[in-house]
Amino acid sequence: MNAGRVPDDERHRRAFFDSLVSGDAAHLPLCLGISLHTQPANARPGLALKITQAALQTGQLQRVLERRFDQAMAFDGCYIYLDTQGALTIWHALPAQREAVDHILSRMLSLADLEALEGSPAADQRCSSSGNSRVSRLASSSSSRKVR
């Protein structure tokens, strides 16, 4: 993969969801500095939204923390931390039902104030590289799959 371009094709989306469903490691860049990863925690499979330090907006960490605790019920199950490289990480356990993954992805992006990555034209402003509105197409490309 070219470091300056983010993959935006059906093959990459399918590979991500195939790995997600099978329990294998999966990684999908949403735009430069922002990606989804499978990430287990305490032997429980999970999904992590990572935002590198370079991609963090001024005040974004504070806003994420405030939103998480101000709207505790809406973001129940979302855990926020900085990883060893200083990336803002929002983690959620993977659900047993495939349909729930779409909702979890949407909540994680909303918590990070990255709704633009769900497919709206504003995604072009948030991510200047190619492949800006990947998440909404992720869900539609794998709607019949089940997560273990």
Side-chain angles (χ1 to χ4, degrees), residues 6 24 33 36 41 45-46 57 63-64 89 96 105 122-123 129 136 144 146:
V6 177
D24 295 334
L36 291 170
Q57 297 173 342
R63 289 189 305 273
V64 167
T89 304
L105 284 173
S129 67
S136 62
S144 64
K146 298 245 186 259

Side-chain angles (χ1 to χ4, degrees), residues 14-27 37-41 43-47 91 93-96 98 101 145-148:
R14 285 186 190 271
F16 176 77
F17 271 98
D18 288 346
S19 294
L20 188 66
V21 170
S22 69
D24 295 334
H27 171 258
H37 303 262
T38 53
Q39 186 168 321
R44 185 162 184 192
L47 185 62
W91 183 90
L94 281 175
R98 165 63 192 96
V101 172
R145 297 182 187 149
K146 298 245 186 259
V147 175
R148 292 195 261 176

